[in-house]
Amino acid sequence: MTVPHTARVGLLVLAATSFYTYVGQMVPQKEVLPPQETVIRADLTTDEMVKVGQEIMNGKGLCFTCHTLGKTEGPFRFPDMSGVDVRAKTRVPGLSDVEYFAQSIYEPEKFIVPGFNPGMPVINKPPIGLTDQEILCVIAYLQTLGGTATVTLQTAHHYYTPPGAPGAPGAPGAAPAPAAASAPGAAPAAPAATGAPPTAPAIPAAAPAPAAPAKGTR
């Protein structure tokens, strides 16, 4: 018996659909949700910052998309984070662990760990866009990976000075902002009030007109 052409096409479509449906069910399914906004309270303790930093690294920061934690065998796309605080203290001469972590987040291309390629995005800019306070929390968590967290929300580093910290604009002891320079030809600043009327600037005398030449001269 000859199977009609239309029926054969229908059976082929049904078989292909069933096959790909079966294969699709074998692939692990993972629901991806938008990252939750992290509320950084002004009174967070260092221990609370560590917990917030861990949540950020697992969520909004997308850190473990490329980094690993506790993986002993490669290949590694980026360095494994186990014991990273120990290495951070001596990785770049002259940088503490806090300064090294800050540099790695704000300027990831400035130092590339030997054996790895560039590729880490600037975390404080879109699309990730962590705030300075969120980055401090991430640094607090990173310090616990091989060390002890010491940062607070008032910790300053090369890329960020918290409001009110020594050296921040408006903080006690901070250098005053320089006065704006007057534009050429602008009127002089008004004198301080002393009770006496301001003195009007002297008007220069007009230059005398040139004398008319005598008759008969060239």
Side-chain angles (χ1 to χ4, degrees):
M1 184 177 78
T2 303
V3 179
H5 179 72
T6 304
R8 283 184 292 173
V9 171
L11 289 173
L12 179 61
V13 171
L14 180 61
T17 302
S18 300
F19 173 76
Y20 285 109
T21 301
Y22 172 74
V23 172
Q25 294 299 320
M26 296 176 63
V27 177
Q29 304 296 315
K30 183 178 180 180
E31 184 179 9
V32 178
L33 299 175
Q36 295 182 351
E37 288 297 323
T38 304
V39 178
I40 307 294
R41 303 194 326 269
D43 60 345
L44 280 182
T45 66
T46 298
D47 290 340
E48 290 173 328
M49 289 175 63
V50 170
K51 296 178 181 178
V52 172
Q54 184 177 17
E55 293 174 357
I56 292 173
M57 289 191 66
N58 282 294
K60 180 180 178 181
L62 303 176
C63 303
F64 291 116
T65 301
C66 300
H67 287 286
T68 55
L69 182 59
K71 187 176 180 180
T72 57
E73 297 182 359
F76 298 100
R77 183 176 181 183
F78 288 152
D80 186 81
M81 306 302 287
S82 299
V84 67
D85 189 63
V86 177
R87 301 189 295 274
K89 293 177 180 178
T90 58
R91 181 73 83 182
V92 176
L95 294 186
S96 65
D97 55 344
V98 174
E99 291 290 350
Y100 173 74
F101 288 140
Q103 176 180 282
S104 300
I105 292 173
Y106 288 88
E107 289 187 282
E109 302 292 321
K110 195 164 186 177
F111 174 83
I112 307 299
V113 176
F116 293 90
N117 296 317
M120 179 171 166
V122 180
I123 305 300
N124 66 315
K125 295 182 179 180
I128 297 176
L130 296 187
T131 66
D132 296 312
Q133 293 77 18
E134 288 173 332
I135 291 174
L136 280 175
C137 291
V138 169
I139 292 175
Y141 173 64
L142 291 174
Q143 284 188 301
T144 66
L145 303 179
T148 302
T150 59
V151 300
T152 69
L153 288 178
Q154 294 303 310
T155 297
H157 51 72
H158 178 70
Y159 301 91
Y160 173 63
T161 301
S182 300
T194 58
T199 302
I203 301 177
K215 293 182 179 181
T217 62
R218 294 183 180 180

